Amino acid sequence: MKSRISKIADNEYFFSVATKIYEIMIGVLISSLKVRFLGKDLTGRLLFMASMSKMLGFLFQMGYSQAYAYFKKREDDSFKGRYLGSAVLLTAVYVVICISYVIIFRPEAEMWFVMIAVPIVFLQQVMSGVVRVEKPKTRNIVFAITDTMLVTILLFAFFFSEPAFKWVVIIFIFLDGIRLIIFFFVERPPITFNKDTFRLFRKLFIFGIFPMLGAFLMNLNYKVDVYMLKKVMIYEIVAVYTVGVTVADQCWAITTALGDILISKLAKGGKASEVSRVLRYSNTLTLALQLVFLIFGKLAISIVYGPGYEDSYIVLCLVMIGSYGMNFAKMIGNYCIVEGLHKERMIILLITVITNVSANLYLILSMGIFGAAISSIISYNVCGIMFVWLFRRKGGQRVRDILFAKKKDYEDLFRLLRGKA
């Protein structure tokens, strides 16, 4: 029995899915506690800050986390120390830029804390990218532990404190800050500063332009609707929309978990056929999750988030239609990162964002939050179709090989569960 359990736990895909299921459950609890404790106005402020932080984080990241997987496959053993040394140098540059911005422009409170968080978010994403390639199971464990810690903080606030903007700031900065500390403590990474570090800094900076734009555009495609809604609607309505999108995001949470392991395997020599296999698993699990959300989503939202979020279920049902497009974009996007197809990836994402913004400009004004949801359906699926087309050309994979799990996939799974894999 012990041997069977050990074999199952040692399977990185299986372990990643198991931890992601835990993160989904605890993520719903976190979202519920935020909404119930903070109320709609403060929740809307928090969600706006989170969206802007991620958007700027990807812009300032300069493709560093993607670069690690690409160069890991091509550099010697000293690369890790030089890579982290260059990341620390860039973090110092961002500290100066962000402090200068705050002093000169004196932005509103939300943007003040967003700018202060940028260097922390950047370095956390860099460390997370390193651990994702080197020790993907460790990364999943750290994410699960820190989510649990945030639940503890939210429960304390809910029972022993009053909602205030200071709690928005604490919740906003906690996960990135604590994960950064834990990654450094667990990984104890070598950080090298020498002339080779500065040479690599220049190489990474040039290399990172297209991955940075790709990552920024990918995140912009997720978040531009929230930003545009905020410009024409009050925070309370933004909160209702974001709750629906947050629940719908869980449809591709499994894809994200599998993608973290996939990029590690690709960086260590995995082939295009591995991408197809993981996509089949991902699409099958996504379909199962969608059925669960369709049946129980309305009741779950009313229980978890309370009254006033009825429209979130409609947003959920609409956005779920774009789940498969995002599955293709995430998985094939990882393949593009490792194989150096950054320009192609960026062009696809640029077309996607233009499609998303154009649709939002028209549909938000005429249909409100439902228009934003329909815009997401259009852009997600346009994105997915283009990535599948690229994958067929570059990876030589057939469409039918990336859709849903085959008989052999189930046989492999049952072999694993019996301890024979």
Side-chain angles (χ1 to χ4, degrees):
M1 176 63 71
K2 183 177 179 180
S3 174
R4 181 183 299 179
I5 294 173
S6 176
K7 286 182 178 180
I8 293 173
D10 286 342
N11 184 282
E12 291 178 324
Y13 286 126
F14 195 94
F15 184 84
S16 184
V17 170
T19 54
K20 181 56 67 174
I21 289 172
Y22 173 76
E23 285 184 52
I24 290 173
M25 293 188 295
I26 204 165
V28 171
L29 179 58
I30 288 172
S31 181
S32 172
L33 287 170
K34 285 178 184 177
V35 169
R36 288 182 176 274
F37 172 62
L38 294 174
K40 284 187 177 179
D41 181 68
L42 289 176
T43 297
R45 292 174 186 271
L46 174 61
L47 294 171
F48 171 74
M49 289 167 63
S51 296
M52 290 301 299
S53 174
K54 286 186 178 181
M55 197 179 300
L56 290 174
F58 281 113
L59 181 63
F60 280 94
Q61 193 184 120
M62 283 305 301
Y64 258 64
S65 61
Q66 294 94 333
Y68 188 79
Y70 176 81
F71 283 101
K72 165 76 175 179
K73 197 173 181 178
R74 296 161 175 84
E75 293 278 342
D76 58 31
D77 293 339
S78 68
F79 168 69
K80 185 176 181 179
R82 292 181 286 119
Y83 169 83
L84 290 173
S86 66
V88 170
L89 287 175
L90 191 53
T91 301
V93 172
Y94 288 158
V95 168
V96 173
I97 291 174
C98 292
I99 291 176
S100 299
Y101 174 87
V102 169
I103 292 173
I104 294 171
F105 294 101
R106 299 183 181 277
E108 59 186 12
E110 289 85 359
M111 280 304 300
W112 195 95
F113 286 105
V114 166
M115 295 305 298
I116 294 299
V118 162
I120 298 172
V121 173
F122 165 74
L123 197 54
Q124 190 278 134
Q125 289 174 339
V126 167
M127 282 302 303
S128 179
V130 171
V131 178
R132 178 173 64 169
V133 172
E134 300 289 350
K135 301 175 182 177
K137 288 174 67 175
T138 298
R139 181 177 180 271
N140 289 330
I141 292 170
V142 170
F143 272 56
I145 290 173
T146 51
D147 283 346
T148 305
M149 293 170 68
L150 181 57
V151 167
T152 304
I153 291 172
L154 287 167
L155 285 171
F156 173 84
F158 186 82
F159 287 109
F160 301 105
S161 185
E162 296 294 326
F165 186 71
K166 67 178 181 181
W167 281 110
V168 172
V169 175
I170 292 171
I171 296 167
F172 168 66
I173 204 69
F174 176 79
L175 285 179
D176 284 307
I178 197 67
R179 284 172 182 169
L180 175 60
I181 293 169
I182 293 174
F183 282 141
F184 267 104
F185 179 78
V186 170
E187 186 71 7
R188 299 184 184 277
I191 300 177
T192 304
F193 295 104
N194 55 32
K195 61 182 180 180
D196 291 330
T197 303
F198 287 94
R199 290 196 190 103
L200 180 63
F201 180 87
R202 181 175 177 275
K203 185 188 293 187
L204 288 171
F205 195 85
I206 295 172
F207 169 87
I209 292 174
F210 286 109
M212 175 271 292
L213 291 173
F216 174 71
L217 291 169
M218 175 71 84
N219 190 69
L220 184 62
N221 194 42
Y222 289 148
K223 305 300 180 184
V224 69
D225 47 1
V226 174
Y227 179 78
M228 295 176 75
L229 281 170
K230 189 254 181 184
K231 287 296 183 181
V232 297
M233 297 183 179
I234 58 177
Y235 277 119
E236 286 86 344
I237 296 177
V238 175
V240 171
Y241 174 77
T242 309
V243 164
V245 172
T246 299
V247 178
D249 282 350
Q250 307 314 313
C251 287
W252 55 79
I254 300 298
T255 300
T256 302
L258 294 174
D260 290 340
I261 307 301
L262 177 63
I263 198 169
S264 175
K265 290 185 177 293
L266 291 173
K268 297 171 184 176
K271 305 299 181 184
S273 57
E274 183 75 2
V275 181
S276 295
R277 183 168 73 96
V278 177
L279 268 169
R280 293 197 301 271
Y281 293 152
S282 177
N283 290 333
T284 304
L285 290 168
T286 296
L287 178 61
L289 281 172
Q290 285 180 330
L291 292 174
V292 171
F293 288 146
L294 192 63
I295 297 169
F296 300 107
K298 188 172 185 178
L299 177 63
I301 287 174
S302 64
I303 292 173
V304 172
Y305 296 99
Y309 288 89
E310 294 81 7
D311 287 344
S312 298
Y313 175 72
I314 302 175
V315 173
L316 161 66
C317 292
L318 289 171
V319 175
M320 282 197 303
I321 301 173
S323 298
Y324 299 101
M326 292 316 301
N327 284 353
F328 297 136
K330 283 175 171 287
M331 293 297 186
I332 300 172
N334 285 335
Y335 174 79
C336 292
I337 289 168
V338 176
E339 295 301 321
L341 302 172
H342 301 295
K343 292 181 181 179
E344 293 87 344
R345 178 173 177 263
M346 188 205 72
I347 291 170
I348 289 175
L349 292 172
L350 178 61
I351 294 171
T352 303
V353 169
I354 292 172
T355 302
N356 198 352
V357 171
S358 301
N360 272 306
L361 284 172
Y362 176 73
L363 293 174
I364 284 178
L365 293 177
S366 60
M367 301 176 66
I369 59 175
F370 305 129
I374 293 171
S375 299
S376 295
I377 296 171
I378 296 170
S379 64
Y380 291 174
N381 286 316
V382 166
C383 186
I385 290 168
M386 288 190 291
F387 268 111
V388 170
W389 173 80
L390 177 65
F391 191 50
R392 285 189 63 199
R393 288 186 61 240
K394 299 295 185 179
Q397 301 295 295
R398 298 172 299 183
V399 173
R400 66 171 180 248
D401 289 333
I402 65 176
L403 292 179
F404 296 102
K406 301 178 179 180
K407 181 181 178 181
K408 185 179 182 303
D409 298 324
Y410 292 113
E411 290 172 349
D412 291 342
L413 176 61
F414 291 140
R415 261 199 309 272
L416 171 64
L417 295 174
R418 290 197 300 267
K420 297 180 180 180

